Amino acid sequence: LRHADVAMYEAKGAGRDAAKIFSEDMHRGAVERLETEERLRRALHEGHLALHYQPIMTVRDGRMIGAEAFLRWQQDDGSWLTPTQFLPQIEDPALLVQLSDWVLRHAFATIAELQRTSGLEPPFYVAINLSDQHFRQADFPTRVRELLAQTGADPNLVLFDITEKALDAEPRRAGE
């Protein structure tokens, strides 16, 4: 039954009308995903995640008008993983919510600190990428409001970058 379950999730991941037969590669992949999820949970609690910021500059005068926040996961050897290297392996929706809340909380805290120390104000902004998982969460706007209130960040300094995949998956919600 476990093997059938693994094959079923592989088939679902392959799209509509797909069928898969269980293989040892599938088993190894499932074990790797579970191990990655466990390591990521530890990283959340042990402080091995960080946001790195890339400046956003104007072409006309080279002035910095914002920054884009990027999640990074530091490994035991000191190297950093990007979300494309670990997010596709995460299947636990609760873990994805924890990660998105972590990113939002830390980005908003950075914005609030910049407001206090440098007088940051619009048109400067911090861009945060939203995945299709974020976009599908019904309580996402409520969580954003709560985290903004907790951190004291000015919502006018936040820009959400929504992936095309999210818009394709929820075209009606894109207009909300």
Side-chain angles (χ1 to χ4, degrees):
L1 285 175
R2 273 183 278 157
H3 293 171
D5 196 46
V6 169
M8 177 190 65
Y9 279 105
E10 287 284 327
K12 283 183 176 182
R16 290 183 68 120
D17 300 324
K20 296 283 183 172
I21 297 172
F22 177 81
S23 70
E24 281 304 314
D25 286 342
M26 284 182 193
H27 176 71
R28 278 190 293 280
V31 168
E32 286 175 16
R33 282 190 296 279
L34 288 173
E35 288 172 353
T36 299
E37 287 181 352
E38 184 55 37
R39 288 179 36 239
L40 191 51
R41 282 187 189 89
R42 278 196 316 272
L44 268 167
H45 295 289
E46 294 174 2
H48 297 286
L49 298 178
L51 289 181
H52 293 188
Y53 293 90
Q54 177 177 316
I56 299 171
M57 316 293 277
T58 64
V59 174
R60 185 175 354 152
D61 59 10
R63 187 172 45 91
M64 188 168 126
I65 59 168
E68 186 168 2
F70 292 104
L71 176 64
R72 297 293 183 259
W73 175 12
Q74 189 171 29
Q75 302 301 288
D76 293 337
D77 66 2
S79 64
W80 293 91
L81 294 181
T82 66
T84 57
Q85 295 172 295
F86 62 86
L87 283 184
Q89 295 181 26
I90 308 304
E91 294 179 348
D92 181 0
L95 181 57
L96 289 170
V97 168
Q98 285 180 305
L99 277 173
S100 68
D101 283 354
W102 186 96
V103 168
L104 293 173
R105 183 176 291 107
H106 284 80
F108 294 170
T110 298
I111 292 168
E113 179 64 23
L114 288 170
Q115 286 171 237
R116 284 189 296 277
T117 60
S118 69
L120 184 67
E121 58 186 50
F124 191 91
Y125 61 88
V126 173
I128 302 167
N129 294 313
L130 293 184
S131 69
D132 55 323
Q133 289 96 350
H134 289 108
F135 205 61
R136 282 189 252 139
Q137 295 167 354
D139 68 336
F140 183 71
T142 302
R143 288 195 348 263
V144 167
R145 282 190 292 278
E146 289 170 356
L147 290 168
L148 284 166
Q150 289 170 11
T151 60
D154 180 349
N156 295 310
L157 303 178
V158 177
L159 181 133
F160 288 121
D161 186 5
I162 302 169
T163 64
E164 189 173 319
K165 182 179 174 185
L167 296 177
D168 289 345
E170 298 279 347
R172 277 187 302 149
R173 191 141 187 241
E176 294 177 3

